[in-house]
Coordinates of all heavy atoms in Angstrom, one line a residue:
D1 N -36.0 4.4 12.0 CA -35.4 5.7 12.0 C -34.8 6.0 13.4 O -33.8 6.8 13.5 CB -36.5 6.8 11.8 CG -36.9 6.8 10.3 OD1 -36.2 6.2 9.5 OD2 -38.0 7.3 10.0
A2 N -35.3 5.3 14.4 CA -34.7 5.5 15.8 C -33.4 4.8 16.0 O -32.7 5.0 17.0 CB -35.7 5.1 16.8
G3 N -33.1 3.9 15.0 CA -31.8 3.2 15.1 C -31.9 1.7 15.2 O -30.8 1.0 15.2
L4 N -33.1 1.1 15.2 CA -33.2 -0.4 15.2 C -33.0 -0.9 13.8 O -33.5 -0.4 12.8 CB -34.6 -0.8 15.7 CG -34.8 -0.8 17.2 CD1 -36.2 -1.5 17.4 CD2 -33.8 -1.6 17.9
P5 N -32.2 -2.1 13.7 CA -32.1 -2.7 12.4 C -33.5 -3.2 11.9 O -34.4 -3.5 12.8 CB -31.3 -4.0 12.7 CG -30.5 -3.6 13.9 CD -31.4 -2.7 14.7
R6 N -33.8 -3.1 10.6 CA -35.1 -3.4 10.1 C -35.6 -4.8 10.5 O -36.8 -5.0 10.9 CB -35.2 -3.2 8.6 CG -36.6 -3.3 8.0 CD -36.6 -2.9 6.5 NE -36.2 -1.5 6.4 CZ -37.1 -0.5 6.5 NH1 -38.4 -0.8 6.7 NH2 -36.8 0.7 6.3
G7 N -34.7 -5.8 10.4 CA -35.1 -7.1 10.7 C -35.6 -7.3 12.1 O -36.5 -7.9 12.4
R8 N -34.8 -6.6 13.0 CA -35.2 -6.7 14.5 C -36.5 -6.0 14.7 O -37.3 -6.5 15.5 CB -34.1 -6.1 15.3 CG -34.3 -6.2 16.8 CD -33.1 -5.8 17.6 NE -33.4 -5.9 19.1 CZ -33.4 -7.1 19.7 NH1 -33.2 -8.2 19.1 NH2 -33.7 -7.1 21.0
A9 N -36.7 -4.8 14.1 CA -37.9 -4.1 14.3 C -39.1 -4.9 13.8 O -40.2 -5.0 14.5 CB -37.8 -2.8 13.6
T10 N -38.9 -5.6 12.7 CA -40.0 -6.4 12.1 C -40.3 -7.6 13.1 O -41.5 -7.9 13.3 CB -39.6 -7.0 10.8 OG1 -39.3 -5.9 9.8 CG2 -40.7 -7.9 10.2
R11 N -39.3 -8.2 13.6 CA -39.6 -9.4 14.6 C -40.3 -8.9 15.8 O -41.2 -9.5 16.3 CB -38.3 -10.0 14.9 CG -37.6 -10.8 13.8 CD -36.5 -11.7 14.3 NE -35.4 -10.9 14.7 CZ -34.4 -10.5 14.0 NH1 -34.4 -10.7 12.7 NH2 -33.4 -9.8 14.5
I12 N -39.9 -7.7 16.3 CA -40.6 -7.2 17.5 C -42.0 -6.9 17.2 O -42.9 -7.2 18.0 CB -39.8 -5.9 18.0 CG1 -38.5 -6.3 18.6 CG2 -40.7 -5.2 19.0 CD1 -37.6 -5.0 18.9
L13 N -42.3 -6.3 16.1 CA -43.7 -5.9 15.8 C -44.5 -7.1 15.5 O -45.7 -7.1 15.7 CB -43.7 -4.9 14.6 CG -43.0 -3.6 15.0 CD1 -43.2 -2.6 13.8 CD2 -43.5 -2.9 16.2
R14 N -44.0 -8.1 14.9 CA -44.8 -9.3 14.6 C -45.2 -9.9 15.9 O -46.4 -10.3 16.0 CB -43.9 -10.4 13.9 CG -43.8 -10.1 12.4 CD -42.8 -11.1 11.8 NE -42.6 -10.9 10.3 CZ -41.7 -11.4 9.6 NH1 -40.8 -12.2 10.1 NH2 -41.6 -11.2 8.3
R15 N -44.4 -10.0 16.9 CA -44.8 -10.5 18.2 C -45.7 -9.6 18.9 O -46.7 -10.0 19.6 CB -43.5 -10.7 19.1 CG -42.7 -11.9 18.7 CD -43.5 -13.2 19.2 NE -42.8 -14.4 18.8 CZ -43.3 -15.6 19.0 NH1 -44.4 -15.8 19.6 NH2 -42.6 -16.7 18.6
A16 N -45.5 -8.3 18.8 CA -46.4 -7.3 19.5 C -47.8 -7.3 19.0 O -48.7 -7.1 19.7 CB -45.8 -5.9 19.4
T17 N -47.9 -7.5 17.7 CA -49.2 -7.4 17.0 C -49.9 -8.7 16.7 O -51.1 -8.8 16.4 CB -49.2 -6.5 15.8 OG1 -48.2 -7.1 14.8 CG2 -48.7 -5.1 16.1
G18 N -49.1 -9.8 16.7 CA -49.7 -11.1 16.3 C -49.0 -12.3 16.9 O -48.7 -13.2 16.2
A19 N -48.7 -12.2 18.2 CA -48.0 -13.3 18.9 C -48.7 -14.6 18.7 O -48.1 -15.6 18.5 CB -47.8 -12.9 20.3
A20 N -50.1 -14.6 18.9 CA -50.8 -15.8 18.8 C -50.7 -16.4 17.4 O -50.6 -17.6 17.2 CB -52.3 -15.6 19.1
G21 N -50.7 -15.5 16.4 CA -50.6 -16.0 15.0 C -49.3 -16.6 14.7 O -49.2 -17.6 14.0
L22 N -48.2 -16.1 15.3 CA -46.9 -16.7 15.1 C -46.8 -18.1 15.7 O -46.0 -18.9 15.2 CB -45.8 -15.8 15.7 CG -45.5 -14.5 14.9 CD1 -44.5 -13.7 15.7 CD2 -45.1 -14.8 13.5
D23 N -47.6 -18.4 16.7 CA -47.6 -19.7 17.2 C -48.1 -20.8 16.2 O -47.9 -22.0 16.4 CB -48.5 -19.8 18.5 CG -47.8 -19.0 19.6 OD1 -46.6 -18.7 19.6 OD2 -48.6 -18.6 20.6
T24 N -48.7 -20.3 15.2 CA -49.2 -21.2 14.1 C -48.0 -21.9 13.4 O -48.1 -23.0 12.9 CB -50.0 -20.5 13.1 OG1 -51.2 -19.9 13.7 CG2 -50.5 -21.4 12.0
L25 N -46.8 -21.2 13.4 CA -45.6 -21.6 12.7 C -44.9 -22.6 13.6 O -44.1 -22.2 14.4 CB -44.8 -20.4 12.3 CG -45.5 -19.3 11.6 CD1 -44.6 -18.1 11.5 CD2 -46.1 -19.7 10.3
G26 N -45.2 -23.9 13.4 CA -44.7 -24.9 14.3 C -43.3 -25.3 14.2 O -42.7 -25.9 15.1
T27 N -42.6 -25.0 13.0 CA -41.3 -25.4 12.8 C -40.5 -24.3 12.1 O -41.1 -23.4 11.6 CB -41.2 -26.7 11.9 OG1 -41.8 -26.4 10.7 CG2 -41.9 -27.9 12.6
G28 N -39.2 -24.5 12.2 CA -38.3 -23.5 11.5 C -38.6 -23.5 10.0 O -38.5 -22.4 9.4
D29 N -38.9 -24.6 9.4 CA -39.2 -24.7 8.0 C -40.4 -23.9 7.6 O -40.5 -23.3 6.6 CB -39.2 -26.1 7.5 CG -37.9 -26.8 7.5 OD1 -36.9 -26.1 7.2 OD2 -37.8 -28.0 7.7

């Protein structure tokens, strides 16, 4: 609602709330 594209907002929040968990994803696939 503040003007961020949804995809970008989602990526920011994934890192903010679960950065360690995202490190589990070892490859692009």
Side-chain angles (χ1 to χ4, degrees):
D1 290 343
L4 277 187
R6 185 172 297 276
R8 181 170 181 78
T10 298
R11 291 191 293 273
I12 290 172
L13 296 186
R14 282 173 178 168
R15 282 287 175 185
T17 59
L22 287 177
D23 291 340
T24 302
L25 310 173
T27 58
D29 289 327

